[in-house]
Amino acid sequence: MIRLIILALTTVLPGVSRAASPGEVAASAMEGYELFMRDSLPDDRQKGYDLMLSAAWEGDAKAANNIGWLLQHGEFVEKDLKGAFRWYERAADQGLPAASLNYMELILNAPEDVLAGKLPDKERMAKASALAGTAMLMGRGLPYDSKRGEDLLLRAALFGDQQAMTTVAQQLEMYPDSFSYLPLEEIAEQCDSLLPECDKNIPEGMTLSEFADHMLSPAFWYSRLPNE
């Protein structure tokens, strides 16, 4: 589970019209984070939360992810999965691996609560899955987790991320047993449930088992890449 992370923050001081510099943003960020986590005085958490929220509205990805986490888990604020999802989405769009993972986990684990019957953005899912998966496989930006990383990378490929398709194909060429331990049928079916009819991966008339076999073929992924 992603915990609160140290975040950057932009503050607007009374009587100051210029935007805060990156150094000022970082200093305010640390102050807000430490206030919230210290919680030694009655109003510490409120002050810290206000700083985080201000940073999130100013466009700071780490702050947005932190606010999303608090809303998702109902810590200090009322639980609000839709609100958490919006903040995660905002931070994921800025390339934050932790937010990308949180964004995808809400889509995969609580679609009824966060999507309200609508289909999510395919390109955004592809980007978020690829970013979080790569971060977990490299242990950079997220804790190392090869299984979860490969799961997300495979989903990114199914959502249409070209780099993810290439990576999956190349890994299967070098290590044919790659990805075979994952629940391929479940992954394929879940990904297709999030895509419009025109973008679904599983051809009509093909069983999940047959499609899962295709997913373990390098040629399958290469064939999906656009011709240069």
Side-chain angles (χ1 to χ4, degrees):
M1 180 179 294
I2 301 301
R3 296 295 180 183
L4 286 178
I5 54 181
I6 294 178
L7 44 96
L9 174 64
T10 298
T11 58
V12 179
L13 302 178
V16 178
S17 59
R18 68 173 179 82
S21 69
E24 291 167 335
V25 168
S28 297
M30 184 63 69
E31 178 187 0
Y33 176 80
E34 289 179 347
L35 274 172
F36 189 86
M37 298 304 292
R38 185 177 67 188
D39 193 24
S40 58
L41 297 175
D43 57 352
D44 276 351
R45 297 198 91 190
Q46 185 63 57
K47 288 180 180 178
Y49 176 81
D50 290 343
L51 289 173
M52 287 190 282
L53 185 60
S54 175
W57 280 117
E58 289 294 330
D60 183 83
K62 292 180 180 179
N65 185 62
N66 285 344
I67 295 297
W69 192 92
L70 293 174
L71 287 168
Q72 178 183 354
H73 298 280
E75 184 169 330
F76 188 72
V77 293
E78 185 176 350
K79 187 173 182 177
D80 179 3
L81 291 183
K82 287 183 180 178
F85 183 69
R86 288 192 294 269
W87 284 116
Y88 288 151
E89 182 179 81
R90 186 181 181 123
D93 285 349
Q94 296 179 64
L96 186 68
S100 297
L101 178 61
N102 289 334
Y103 168 79
M104 284 308 305
E105 287 192 336
L106 275 184
I107 288 179
L108 296 173
N109 297 324
E112 301 86 358
D113 294 316
V114 299
L115 298 177
K118 299 179 181 179
L119 291 175
D121 183 270
K122 177 184 176 182
E123 292 185 6
R124 183 175 276 137
M125 287 193 299
K127 178 181 177 182
S129 297
L131 183 63
T134 301
M136 298 188 91
L137 287 170
M138 298 179 69
R140 297 179 181 175
L142 286 171
Y144 174 76
D145 186 334
S146 60
K147 182 177 181 179
R148 187 66 175 128
E150 288 191 348
D151 179 295
L152 286 164
L153 190 65
L154 201 57
R155 292 177 190 273
L158 289 170
F159 290 139
D161 186 88
Q162 294 181 22
Q163 183 58 56
M165 291 184 210
T166 301
T167 301
V168 169
Q170 291 175 342
Q171 184 164 331
L172 286 168
E173 284 182 324
M174 293 186 291
Y175 309 103
D177 291 335
S178 297
F179 308 102
S180 60
Y181 66 98
L182 295 173
L184 299 177
E185 294 182 18
E186 177 184 330
I187 290 172
E189 187 173 36
Q190 190 173 36
C191 286
D192 267 19
S193 71
L194 297 168
L195 295 172
E197 197 65 37
C198 61
D199 289 330
K200 292 187 185 299
N201 294 281
I202 306 169
E204 187 175 353
M206 182 179 288
T207 67
L208 279 171
S209 177
E210 291 170 337
F211 186 75
D213 288 339
H214 284 297
M215 290 169 66
L216 296 177
S217 166
F220 169 76
W221 296 108
Y222 284 131
S223 70
R224 293 163 65 92
L225 292 168
N227 295 322
E228 296 184 358

